[in-house]
Amino acid sequence: MPRRVDKVERRNRIMDAAMRVFARLGVHQARMDDVAREARMSKGALYWYFRSKEDLLKAILARMFEPDLKLMEELVRQRERSAVERLETMARKALDSLPQMRVTQALLYEFYALAARTGPLQTLIRDYYRRYYELLTELLAQGIEQGELRIQNPQRAAMALLAQFEGLFLISVLLPGVDLHQEWRALSDEVLKRLSGEDGSF
Amino acid sequence: MPRRVDKVERRNRIMDAAMRVFARLGVHQARMDDVAREARMSKGALYWYFRSKEDLLKAILARMFEPDLKLMEELVRQRERSAVERLETMARKALDSLPQMRVTQALLYEFYALAARTGPLQTLIRDYYRRYYELLTELLAQGIEQGELRIQNPQRAAMALLAQFEGLFLISVLLPGVDLHQEWRALSDEVLKRLSGEDGSF
Amino acid sequence: MPRRVDKVERRNRIMDAAMRVFARLGVHQARMDDVAREARMSKGALYWYFRSKEDLLKAILARMFEPDLKLMEELVRQRERSAVERLETMARKALDSLPQMRVTQALLYEFYALAARTGPLQTLIRDYYRRYYELLTELLAQGIEQGELRIQNPQRAAMALLAQFEGLFLISVLLPGVDLHQEWRALSDEVLKRLSGEDGSF
Amino acid sequence: MPRRVDKVERRNRIMDAAMRVFARLGVHQARMDDVAREARMSKGALYWYFRSKEDLLKAILARMFEPDLKLMEELVRQRERSAVERLETMARKALDSLPQMRVTQALLYEFYALAARTGPLQTLIRDYYRRYYELLTELLAQGIEQGELRIQNPQRAAMALLAQFEGLFLISVLLPGVDLHQEWRALSDEVLKRLSGEDGSF
DNA sequence: AATGAATGAGACTTCATTCAT
DNA sequence: AATGAATGAAGTCTCATTCAT
């Protein structure tokens, strides 16, 4: 009767620790020793659950993106609901998760840097992002179809939306004084108004 | 009489090489050997012109940001010109430099990742960014003063502008299909219209 | 009443597996994990039956050499039989075991490499080999005594015999085309003839 | 004006050190640190001259085998000389190099163990050995042609010769008391006699 | 008796930096 | 000014062994 451990819990614990360490020191500067110490395990245990540092990084990436994708997929599926309402849900959830995003923001930009460079993670990150973009486009298309949204091109609108939120997020890193929470809410409100508004500014 | 080498030219050559290498491989993955080879020098020579890798990185950072700051400072100084015109100049210059930005985009995100993380470069990057933000705010303030711009808060408007352009830039990395040049122009046009427009959407 | 496992059978199973793995990968490159997998046990179980990897190796070594020694001891004891006949028996048994030797040939040379190097296994291997040599010498001495063999010095003859067979065996590793079985038989025949022949070429 | 060093001398110094260390501890047990210390260099310097441990091992292997091959090639080329005389030269040279062979004997068996096992060095070692075998065969063939040697099959004779000398060499490892020098000379004499003798015992 | 998990010393290799010329 | 060589700390990963159940 061997020692029983919850493999999933173990992997999550390591990923949690690694995210903190990676965010603090940067993916490359962080050593596996640091991760091990943060996870209160030996280095060897890390390698019991993850083949390599890169493997660990990929798992973290997946775990970061998948909940958002899941939410979007769910929202896109709810065709009976109004598109605007669903966009509001989305915006609210994003707002709620902002506090914990702060922790991983550094890590996120690390990932974006990786996305800009040919390498094993580039495709992965871009694939996640593209999927998110496609789902958002579909949601907007549904809104147009239902006559709720006064926009012409759901693809360009989706892109513009992503750009604005990503931009705000990035700015909050570069200009530390920015009150991300407040600006995010303001942007959400305005954008939702414009999407359904008559001026068709998207 | 020994030939005096042009120290500035030498430093620039090294920085050019380093930027290419850093953009290609990432700051951390790139070795000083790679930089030396790209610059067609010995590794030792690098250390004649730069104290360390970090020093080289800082110099590159400075050289990347300073022309933009110089331009902005110049524009802010030209109080006799219309603010909208000066913003147009700014937008056009940015558009012109887009092609070469592509090359160093990866490097830029590397810097942003560094900006998100406590460390010696964080302050430096944020300082540059803050300075740019302040100058843009001042330019907008001049526009308000001159009655050209129909916006309330030049600070928030500056932030929104930066966010939108940074956002678009980032999106173009994450969604490879995006035609950055075209989108950038479209965004510039729209934003300038909104800045001076009656709806006060900023 | 708990089922008692057969310790000896278990140890043999592990040794069999280890021999295959060691032969395939080399003693050093082979990991205890590999042995465990080959033996269809957990790694922990290995350590229930063997104190350490070295211990396992020693046990394998013993099990490889002892049957040959047993046979030789038995033959030496059969003083009533003709020496030539007994040598023939020996040669035939060796020939019969050639096919399975192929499997462990790599391992054998690993052992010989160890025998050439100061270390815990050196003495062990040399002791086995010396014992074998002594028994062969004794057998030859009996043959001389009985007037069957026309050789002067049983020690040198024993050494020469061993050298020739070991040499052939080694050559068959280094020159893959060699038909070991055929050459071995030819050598046996010739050597037996020369041992009892008139020319005293040993 | 950079520091000038003799790269060849440097490589040789490292190889000398590595041979001593490998022979003493075994290829796998020996660490690159050990080699570095023995060569009185830093570990980094080792990697300046050799890409990897395996690379170093290959270079050593080449340096061990090539002089013997060179000698054989030279002898085979000297068609005007009697084959027996040339074989005598060969035997004498081998005898002369015996003392230093002692040092690398352990290493040699390490190599033979590698030759018995699938891997990057197997082909290399076998190729050297095969070349040596072919050259010896050719030399014997010349001897037959010139009517000096009374043997039928130069290939089998070459194989038998190699087997006998390799066997003796191996035995001297396994039975430490053997006087290798004396036995080697005795074997050489006898073999040369038999090669040219009338009994055609090869 | 046996297992799956965990440990941690240590292996090879890399690379920013320094040195001798 | 510049070079090729050298250094050595540190990084990732491995693996014999031990542990808790």
Side-chain angles (χ1 to χ4, degrees):
Chain A
M1 289 77 207
R3 205 186 307 191
R4 293 307 294 177
V5 295
D6 183 341
K7 289 197 104 173
V8 172
E9 181 274 335
R10 228 39 170 192
R11 279 178 66 97
N12 277 324
R13 188 166 124 200
I14 293 172
M15 284 190 268
D16 290 340
M19 282 181 75
R20 287 192 297 273
V21 172
F22 288 171
R24 191 163 63 235
L25 303 174
V27 170
H28 278 96
Q29 289 85 336
R31 294 166 300 138
M32 290 300 265
D33 279 287
D34 297 323
V35 176
R37 199 176 315 111
E38 180 85 20
R40 290 156 188 264
M41 292 181 194
S42 73
K43 221 185 327 179
L46 259 46
Y47 283 88
W48 182 262
Y49 292 100
F50 296 93
R51 203 185 303 284
S52 67
K53 192 180 181 183
E54 185 181 319
D55 201 47
L56 172 56
L57 201 59
K58 281 180 180 168
I60 289 172
L61 187 64
R63 208 184 55 159
M64 274 176 75
F65 278 79
E66 264 153 17
D68 291 340
L69 281 178
K70 281 279 181 327
L71 173 62
M72 276 300 281
E73 279 166 359
E74 175 60 22
L75 289 176
V76 166
R77 232 179 281 120
Q78 298 170 350
R79 296 176 149 268
E80 70 287 358
R81 292 178 63 196
S82 116
V84 170
E85 199 187 304
R86 287 181 280 168
L87 287 168
E88 273 164 355
T89 303
M90 200 186 102
R92 188 165 26 76
K93 295 259 183 181
L95 199 63
D96 293 347
S97 66
L98 272 187
Q100 61 218 46
M101 282 304 275
R102 280 248 107 114
V103 183
T104 53
Q105 202 169 24
L107 185 50
L108 188 66
Y109 289 113
E110 204 95 348
F111 281 138
Y112 288 170
L114 290 171
R117 212 160 49 229
T118 310
L121 289 179
Q122 185 181 47
T123 319
L124 201 56
I125 298 168
R126 287 183 168 177
D127 283 353
Y128 280 120
Y129 214 81
R130 170 159 301 280
R131 182 88 189 107
Y132 196 82
Y133 165 67
E134 286 167 355
L135 288 166
L136 181 56
T137 302
E138 168 63 16
L139 187 52
L140 294 177
Q142 290 179 14
I144 296 172
E145 212 174 295
Q146 292 161 355
E148 279 186 278
L149 304 183
R150 303 287 180 100
I151 53 177
Q152 314 296 328
N153 186 338
Q155 286 180 16
R156 293 202 61 194
M159 205 198 68
L161 279 178
L162 290 175
Q164 293 205 33
F165 284 94
E166 287 288 357
L168 177 55
F169 204 57
L170 178 52
I171 285 296
S172 78
V173 167
L174 298 172
L175 296 176
V178 171
D179 179 343
L180 181 57
H181 191 269
Q182 183 195 315
E183 298 292 343
W184 193 274
R185 179 144 52 185
L187 182 58
S188 303
D189 291 347
E190 185 218 321
V191 150
L192 280 170
K193 214 173 294 163
R194 285 170 67 200
L195 277 175
S196 48
E198 312 248 317
D199 63 343
S201 64
F202 266 95
Chain B
M1 210 186 236
R3 199 165 67 80
R4 303 279 302 174
V5 299
D6 184 340
K7 281 200 114 179
V8 173
E9 181 274 337
R10 265 317 201 243
R11 279 177 65 96
N12 277 325
R13 188 165 123 201
I14 293 171
M15 283 190 270
D16 290 340
M19 281 182 75
R20 287 193 297 273
V21 172
F22 287 171
R24 190 163 64 235
L25 303 174
V27 171
H28 248 86
Q29 290 86 332
R31 293 166 303 142
M32 290 300 266
D33 280 282
D34 298 320
V35 176
R37 198 177 317 111
E38 181 86 20
R40 291 157 189 261
M41 294 181 193
S42 75
K43 216 182 342 175
L46 260 47
Y47 282 87
W48 185 263
Y49 293 99
F50 294 93
R51 199 189 309 282
S52 66
K53 193 181 182 182
E54 185 181 316
D55 200 47
L56 171 57
L57 200 59
K58 282 180 181 168
I60 288 172
L61 186 64
R63 210 184 54 160
M64 273 177 77
F65 277 79
E66 265 153 16
D68 290 341
L69 281 179
K70 281 278 183 326
L71 173 62
M72 275 300 281
E73 280 165 357
E74 175 61 22
L75 289 175
V76 166
R77 231 178 283 121
Q78 298 169 351
R79 296 176 150 268
E80 69 287 359
R81 293 177 63 196
S82 118
V84 170
E85 200 187 304
R86 286 181 280 168
L87 288 168
E88 272 165 356
T89 304
M90 199 186 100
R92 188 166 25 76
K93 294 261 182 180
L95 198 65
D96 292 347
S97 66
L98 272 187
Q100 62 219 48
M101 283 303 278
R102 279 250 110 115
V103 183
T104 52
Q105 203 169 24
L107 184 51
L108 188 66
Y109 289 112
E110 204 97 345
F111 282 137
Y112 288 170
L114 289 170
R117 213 161 50 228
T118 311
L121 289 178
Q122 185 180 47
T123 319
L124 200 56
I125 297 167
R126 287 183 168 176
D127 283 353
Y128 280 119
Y129 214 81
R130 171 158 301 279
R131 181 90 189 105
Y132 196 82
Y133 166 67
E134 286 166 354
L135 288 166
L136 180 56
T137 303
E138 168 62 17
L139 187 52
L140 294 176
Q142 290 178 14
I144 294 172
E145 214 174 292
Q146 292 162 355
E148 277 187 280
L149 304 183
R150 304 286 181 99
I151 53 177
Q152 314 296 326
N153 187 336
Q155 286 180 14
R156 294 201 61 196
M159 204 198 68
L161 280 178
L162 290 175
Q164 292 206 31
F165 284 95
E166 287 290 355
L168 177 55
F169 203 56
L170 178 51
I171 285 296
S172 79
V173 168
L174 298 172
L175 296 176
V178 170
D179 179 344
L180 182 56
H181 192 270
Q182 182 195 314
E183 298 292 341
W184 192 274
R185 179 145 52 184
L187 182 58
S188 303
D189 291 348
E190 186 218 320
V191 150
L192 281 170
K193 213 173 295 165
R194 285 171 69 201
L195 278 174
S196 50
E198 313 248 317
D199 62 344
S201 63
F202 266 94
Chain C
M1 212 185 237
R3 198 166 67 79
R4 303 279 302 173
V5 300
D6 184 340
K7 281 201 114 177
V8 173
E9 181 274 338
R10 264 317 202 246
R11 280 178 64 96
N12 277 324
R13 189 166 120 201
I14 293 171
M15 283 190 270
D16 290 340
M19 282 182 75
R20 288 193 296 273
V21 171
F22 288 172
R24 190 163 65 235
L25 303 174
V27 171
H28 250 86
Q29 289 86 331
R31 293 166 304 142
M32 290 300 265
D33 280 280
D34 298 320
V35 176
R37 198 177 317 113
E38 180 86 19
R40 291 157 189 262
M41 292 182 195
S42 75
K43 217 185 335 177
L46 260 47
Y47 283 86
W48 186 263
Y49 293 100
F50 295 93
R51 198 189 310 280
S52 67
K53 192 180 181 183
E54 185 182 317
D55 199 48
L56 172 57
L57 199 60
K58 281 180 181 168
I60 289 172
L61 187 63
R63 209 184 54 161
M64 273 177 76
F65 277 79
E66 263 154 16
D68 290 341
L69 281 178
K70 281 279 182 328
L71 172 63
M72 276 300 282
E73 279 166 357
E74 175 62 22
L75 289 175
V76 167
R77 230 177 283 119
Q78 298 169 349
R79 296 179 149 267
E80 69 287 358
R81 291 177 63 195
S82 117
V84 171
E85 200 187 303
R86 285 182 281 169
L87 287 169
E88 273 164 355
T89 303
M90 199 185 98
R92 188 164 28 75
K93 294 261 183 181
L95 199 64
D96 292 347
S97 65
L98 272 188
Q100 61 219 48
M101 282 303 277
R102 279 250 111 117
V103 183
T104 53
Q105 202 169 23
L107 185 51
L108 189 66
Y109 290 112
E110 204 99 344
F111 282 136
Y112 288 170
L114 289 170
R117 213 160 50 226
T118 310
L121 288 177
Q122 185 181 47
T123 320
L124 200 57
I125 298 167
R126 286 182 168 176
D127 283 352
Y128 280 118
Y129 213 81
R130 170 157 302 280
R131 181 87 189 107
Y132 195 82
Y133 165 67
E134 286 166 357
L135 287 166
L136 180 56
T137 303
E138 169 61 17
L139 186 53
L140 294 176
Q142 289 179 13
I144 295 172
E145 212 174 294
Q146 291 160 355
E148 278 188 279
L149 304 183
R150 303 288 179 99
I151 54 178
Q152 317 294 328
N153 186 337
Q155 285 180 15
R156 294 201 61 193
M159 205 199 65
L161 279 177
L162 289 176
Q164 293 206 31
F165 284 95
E166 287 289 356
L168 177 56
F169 203 55
L170 178 52
I171 285 295
S172 78
V173 167
L174 299 172
L175 296 176
V178 170
D179 178 345
L180 181 57
H181 192 269
Q182 182 194 314
E183 298 293 342
W184 192 275
R185 180 143 55 185
L187 182 58
S188 302
D189 291 349
E190 186 217 321
V191 151
L192 280 170
K193 212 174 295 164
R194 284 170 69 200
L195 277 174
S196 51
E198 312 247 319
D199 63 343
S201 65
F202 266 94
Chain D
M1 289 75 206
R3 204 187 308 194
R4 296 303 297 175
V5 294
D6 183 340
K7 289 198 105 172
V8 173
E9 180 274 336
R10 228 40 169 192
R11 279 178 66 96
N12 277 325
R13 188 164 123 201
I14 293 171
M15 284 191 268
D16 290 340
M19 282 180 77
R20 287 193 296 273
V21 172
F22 287 171
R24 189 163 66 235
L25 303 174
V27 170
H28 279 96
Q29 288 86 335
R31 293 167 300 139
M32 290 301 265
D33 278 286
D34 298 322
V35 176
R37 198 176 316 111
E38 181 85 21
R40 290 156 190 263
M41 292 182 193
S42 74
K43 223 184 326 177
L46 258 47
Y47 284 89
W48 183 263
Y49 292 100
F50 296 93
R51 201 186 304 281
S52 66
K53 192 180 180 183
E54 185 181 317
D55 200 48
L56 172 56
L57 200 59
K58 281 180 181 169
I60 289 172
L61 186 63
R63 209 184 54 160
M64 274 177 75
F65 277 77
E66 264 153 18
D68 289 341
L69 281 178
K70 282 279 182 325
L71 172 63
M72 275 301 281
E73 279 166 358
E74 175 61 23
L75 289 176
V76 165
R77 229 179 283 121
Q78 298 170 351
R79 295 176 150 270
E80 70 286 358
R81 291 178 62 195
S82 116
V84 170
E85 199 187 304
R86 287 181 279 169
L87 287 168
E88 272 164 356
T89 303
M90 199 185 102
R92 188 163 28 76
K93 296 260 183 179
L95 199 64
D96 292 347
S97 64
L98 273 187
Q100 60 217 48
M101 282 303 276
R102 280 249 107 117
V103 183
T104 53
Q105 202 168 24
L107 186 50
L108 188 66
Y109 289 114
E110 202 97 347
F111 282 137
Y112 288 170
L114 290 171
R117 211 161 50 230
T118 309
L121 289 178
Q122 185 181 47
T123 319
L124 200 57
I125 298 168
R126 287 183 168 177
D127 283 352
Y128 280 121
Y129 212 82
R130 170 158 300 280
R131 181 89 188 107
Y132 196 81
Y133 165 67
E134 286 167 356
L135 287 165
L136 180 57
T137 303
E138 168 63 16
L139 186 53
L140 294 177
Q142 290 178 14
I144 295 172
E145 211 174 296
Q146 291 161 355
E148 279 186 279
L149 304 183
R150 303 289 179 99
I151 53 178
Q152 314 296 328
N153 187 335
Q155 285 179 17
R156 294 201 61 195
M159 203 198 67
L161 278 178
L162 289 175
Q164 292 205 34
F165 283 95
E166 287 288 356
L168 177 55
F169 204 57
L170 178 53
I171 285 295
S172 78
V173 167
L174 299 171
L175 296 175
V178 170
D179 178 346
L180 181 57
H181 192 269
Q182 183 195 314
E183 296 294 342
W184 192 275
R185 179 143 54 186
L187 181 58
S188 303
D189 291 349
E190 186 218 320
V191 150
L192 280 170
K193 213 173 294 165
R194 284 170 68 200
L195 277 173
S196 50
E198 313 249 315
D199 62 345
S201 64
F202 266 96

